[in-house]
Amino acid sequence: MTYVDLSDISTQMFIVVLLLLLIIAPLISLGVLRLFQSRKKSGLMLIFSGIAVYAVFQTFMSITHL
């Protein structure tokens, strides 16, 4: 069994993947689940909140990463 070398991953990439896995992906997947349960309002709200978190993060990164 070998270990995965994570030394080549930058801090910014690690934060992006962490944010994607912990916040954005669950919001969107819960939104899709709610849409399948015929709860359109809460499903669309979860999907739009996932998109909003992504947009806020992109704006923040473009401001701080000049």
Side-chain angles (χ1 to χ4, degrees):
M1 179 183 241
T2 61
Y3 292 105
V4 177
D5 184 23
L6 297 176
S7 63
D8 294 334
I9 298 176
S10 66
T11 306
Q12 291 88 2
M13 180 62 111
F14 180 76
I15 292 171
V16 167
V17 171
L18 186 68
L19 182 72
L20 178 74
L21 291 176
L22 292 178
I23 297 174
I24 297 170
L27 283 174
I28 292 175
S29 65
L30 282 173
V32 170
L33 178 69
R34 295 287 164 93
L35 287 176
F36 280 119
Q37 293 176 345
S38 298
R39 297 179 178 175
K40 286 187 177 183
K41 184 177 178 183
S42 65
L44 290 175
M45 199 156 83
L46 283 169
I47 291 173
F48 287 137
S49 63
I51 293 170
V53 168
Y54 178 74
V56 166
F57 179 72
Q58 287 295 326
T59 305
F60 177 75
M61 289 304 287
S62 68
I63 290 171
T64 60
H65 204 19
L66 295 175

